[in-house]
């Protein structure tokens, strides 16, 4: 057996022993040994994509939804460089990825050899661990090295702080099986499972939060153990301020209009928290981030003490676990929050429901409301997730994801497809037109590859909608050219090119109908950027006026 085939065979076998079930591969020559080994491995579900960037974000979506490491494989050169955006997102959002890049052997590097770049530590600090594996050789000790390496890569990607691991695999020719089966030592692994069995460390001591009725639970992106903390906050009489992708916006204590509430200075002054407990990484609402600074005690709960989210440097304590004590007493604190939230929500709903016309925030609100139980929604990291944050009513039974680690526009179609495949149930994605166009290669799926039950709902406002809500919009002359970036792409033609069902949503009363269907499909909703900016201003003004009137009552 040639060394390339031996390394690939052993590596793939050991990773499946660790628990690998999904691999995404982009085709190439230098990675041929890995491709052949994966094709022969019946225990993994293989996904093949022609575009490395789409492939890596597909792997990200699979891992993000499943919580298990997913491997992504490519050949050498710029193929590996195209993985970088997804690696960065995985690093920032704590998603376990196994990045397997094939490479030329050392004697071909820096010689002008074809398709050869410097791939050693290619992703810099955006990995939990990066290893130059070394050219495989037929000598005793290699099997133990390769299997031990695979076990370590799997567990570093998974615990205690999930993220990407990079194995750079240099292969010399021949790159494909040559018919010879002999090797200097047995290729077999441990008969009982993985070569190295890793036992997770016991979490650190529990931090006991000071007992108080004037507490707030904030839940952001990537939060873990959400149900436990929501239940504890409810027993303590605290409001729950949850971003949609924190998946804690449910139950009687969950608010839906805290973005508007915390934009009213009079409300903030009267609702000074003694304790704020934060799960995950909040970042959708500037008023919420500002509110974190007002807490006398701000406890950040994080799985790993090596990294914790604290964007406004307000954390006073950081712990892997915290206990929120039950405190008996007056529920005026919670009642005030809930009543003000209802006032603001009703004001926002009134603005959205003034007519049956299609609008971006109403589409976000009504889409979540109409989704069947058990559904998944991936929201683009720019306007769609913010529209959800400002309009979504509390509800149970759905899962919401967003690539908010680095909040990029790239790879969202592929991420949605990967997440939907891992979810295994009805799935939806709410994307802007630029995000959709940025990753339209994600729609290229081979006839033998798995296809999800996924509706891609694309808000088409012919450009970058979020910029119309930012200060740049005041500069009318350069705005449309350098920020609005209008386009004239026909989304129906894109759908036709890929053989996908296409539906145009004309009015809000047709939403339920266009949501029906099976398989991968595209729903287009056309809106106007200027009208959207004006609507957001009316929402804000109506909510804040209603809250001020409530406070003055």
């Amino acid at each position: 057996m040639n060394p390339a085939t031996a390394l690939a065979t052993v590596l793939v076998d050991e990773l499946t022993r660790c628990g690998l079930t999904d691999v995404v591969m982009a085709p190439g020559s230098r990675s041929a040994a890995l491709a052949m080994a994966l094709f022969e491995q019946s225990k993994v579900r293989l996904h093949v994509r022609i575009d490395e960037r789409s492939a890596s974000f597909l792997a990200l979506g699979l891992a993000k939804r499943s919580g298990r490491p997913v491997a992504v494989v490519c050949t050498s050169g710029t193929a590996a460089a195209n993985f970088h955006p997804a690696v960065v997102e995985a690093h920032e959002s704590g998603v376990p990825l196994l990045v397997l890049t094939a490479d030329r052997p050392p004697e071909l590097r820096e010689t002008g050899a074809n398709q050869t770049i410097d791939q050693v530590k290619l992703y810099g600090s955006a990995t939990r661990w990066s290893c130059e594996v070394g050219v495989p050789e037929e000598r005793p000790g290699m099997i133990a090295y390769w299997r031990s390496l695979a076990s370590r890569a799997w567990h570093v990607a998974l615990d205690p702080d999930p993220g990407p691991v990079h194995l750079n695999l240099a292969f010399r020719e021949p790159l494909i099986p040559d018919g010879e089966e002999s090797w200097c030592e047995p290729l077999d692994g441990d008969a009982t499972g993985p070569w190295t069995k890793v036992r997770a460390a016991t979490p650190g001591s529990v931090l006991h939060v000071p007992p108080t009725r004037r507490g707030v639970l904030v839940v952001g992106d990537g939060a873990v153990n959400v149900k436990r903390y929501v239940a504890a906050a409810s027993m303590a009489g605290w409001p729950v301020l949850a971003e949609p992708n924190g998946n804690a916006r449910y139950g009687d204590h969950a608010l839906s209009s805290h973005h508007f509430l915390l934009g009213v200075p009079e409300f903030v002054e009267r609702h000074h928290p003694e304790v704020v407990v934060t799960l995950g990484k909040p970042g959708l609402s500037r008023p919420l981030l500002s509110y974190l600074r007002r807490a006398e005690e701000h406890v950040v709960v994080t799985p790993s003490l090596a990294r914790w989210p604290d964007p406004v440097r307000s954390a006073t304590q950081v712990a892997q676990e915290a206990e929120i004590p039950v405190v008996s007493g007056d529920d005026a604190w919670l009642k005030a929050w809930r009543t003000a939230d209802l006032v603001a929500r009703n004001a926002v709903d009134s603005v959205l429901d003034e007519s049956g016309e299609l609008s971006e925030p109403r589409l976000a609100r009504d889409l979540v409301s109409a989704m069947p139980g058990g559904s998944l929604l991936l929201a683009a990291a720019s306007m769609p997730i913010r529209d959800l944050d400002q309009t979504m009513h509390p509800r149970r039974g759905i899962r919401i994801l967003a690539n908010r680690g680095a909040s990029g526009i790239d790879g969202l179609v592929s991420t949605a497809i990967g997440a939907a495949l891992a979810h295994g149930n009805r799935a939806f994605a709410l994307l802007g037109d630029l995000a959709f166009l940025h990753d339209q290669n994600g729609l290229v799926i081979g006839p033998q590859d798995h296809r999800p039950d996924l509706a891609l709902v694309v808000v088409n406002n012919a450009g970058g909608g979020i910029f119309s809500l930012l200060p740049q919009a005041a500069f009318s002359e350069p705005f449309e050219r350098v920020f609005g970036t209008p386009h004239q792409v026909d989304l129906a033609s894109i759908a036709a090119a890929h053989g996908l069902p296409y539906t145009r949503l004309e009015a809000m009363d047709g939403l339920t109908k266009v949501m029906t269907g099976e398989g991968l499909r595209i729903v287009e909703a056309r809106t106007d950027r200027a009208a959207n900016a004006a609507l957001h201003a009316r929402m804000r003004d109506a909510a804040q006026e209603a809250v001020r009137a409530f406070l003055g009552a």
Side-chain angles (χ1 to χ4, degrees), residues 6-28:
L7 169 57
T9 301
V10 169
L11 186 68
V12 169
D13 179 68
E14 188 61 35
L15 288 175
T16 59
R17 288 167 180 265
C18 289
L20 182 69
T21 58
D22 284 271
V23 178
V24 184
M25 185 182 68

Side-chain angles (χ1 to χ4, degrees), residues 222-310:
V224 297
N225 297 324
V226 168
K227 291 183 179 180
R228 167 190 164 189
Y229 286 98
V230 169
S234 299
M235 294 292 290
W238 295 6
V240 177
L241 281 53
E243 295 181 350
N245 44 320
N247 291 288
R249 193 175 289 192
Y250 62 86
D252 294 338
H253 290 226
L255 307 188
S256 60
S257 299
H258 57 262
H259 171 78
F260 300 111
L261 291 182
L262 299 178
V264 179
E266 298 91 336
F267 180 87
V268 173
E269 288 299 323
R270 297 187 193 183
H271 296 82
H272 185 87
E274 293 179 352
V275 177
V276 173
V277 173
T278 301
L279 309 178
K281 184 179 76 171
L284 293 177
S285 169
R286 290 186 180 181
L288 176 57
L289 291 177
S290 296
Y291 187 72
L292 296 178
R293 296 191 182 99
R294 305 183 68 87
E296 298 173 19
E297 192 81 29
H298 177 197
V299 177
V300 172
V301 180
T302 177
S304 171
L305 297 181
R307 302 184 327 135
W308 63 83
D310 184 21

Side-chain angles (χ1 to χ4, degrees), residues 68 245 457 490 500 528:
R68 296 190 307 273
N245 44 320
V457 182
D490 180 14
L500 298 177
D528 179 83

Side-chain angles (χ1 to χ4, degrees), residues 56-57 79-90 122-126 410:
S56 58
F57 276 100
N82 278 299
F83 282 175
H84 204 158
V87 172
V88 169
E89 175 62 31
L122 177 62
Y123 309 113
S125 60
D410 38 1

Side-chain angles (χ1 to χ4, degrees), residues 301-523:
V301 180
T302 177
S304 171
L305 297 181
R307 302 184 327 135
W308 63 83
D310 184 21
V312 295
R313 303 290 186 180
S314 57
T316 56
Q317 297 194 72
V318 177
Q320 290 177 288
E321 292 185 57
E323 181 178 323
I324 299 173
V326 177
V327 180
S328 60
D330 188 4
D331 65 350
W333 169 257
L334 176 62
K335 184 177 180 180
W337 278 92
R338 292 176 61 185
T339 306
D341 178 68
L342 182 60
V343 166
R345 183 201 308 172
N346 288 340
V348 170
D349 286 343
S350 295
V351 171
L352 296 180
D353 295 334
E354 286 175 349
S355 70
E357 293 183 5
L358 182 63
S359 70
E360 295 178 31
R362 183 173 175 184
L363 175 60
R365 183 197 66 179
D366 292 0
L367 176 63
V368 168
S369 178
M371 284 168 51
S375 295
L376 170 77
L377 172 64
L378 183 128
S382 187
M383 279 309 302
I385 192 63
R386 288 181 168 86
D387 281 336
L388 286 173
D389 190 43
Q390 296 175 23
T391 65
M392 173 186 164
H393 292 193
R395 70 156 294 181
R396 298 178 186 271
I398 61 172
R399 183 72 175 269
I400 299 179
L401 301 177
N403 281 353
R404 286 291 299 178
S407 302
I409 195 175
D410 38 1
L412 289 168
V413 171
S414 299
T415 302
I417 291 173
L421 288 171
H423 186 64
N425 202 337
R426 298 289 300 276
F428 302 85
L430 183 60
L431 310 175
D433 50 327
L434 296 190
F436 174 77
L437 295 175
H438 204 283
D439 190 30
Q440 58 182 296
N441 276 2
L443 299 174
V444 181
I445 304 175
Q448 295 183 6
D449 275 287
H450 303 275
R451 290 174 175 259
D453 184 358
L454 171 66
L456 296 167
V457 182
V458 184
V459 176
N460 185 1
N461 53 32
I466 193 170
F467 295 113
S468 298
L469 304 178
L470 298 178
Q472 294 95 312
F475 296 86
S476 57
E477 186 173 346
F479 177 79
E480 194 68 4
R481 177 79 168 114
V482 299
F483 295 107
T485 56
H487 63 86
Q488 296 179 323
V489 179
D490 180 14
L491 301 192
S493 296
I494 292 178
H498 294 282
L500 298 177
Y502 165 88
T503 307
R504 169 88 176 269
L505 177 61
E506 301 285 355
M508 288 309 305
D509 58 7
L511 177 61
T512 302
K513 182 178 180 180
V514 302
M515 288 176 64
T516 60
E518 295 181 352
L520 184 60
R521 55 206 188 276
I522 297 172
V523 176

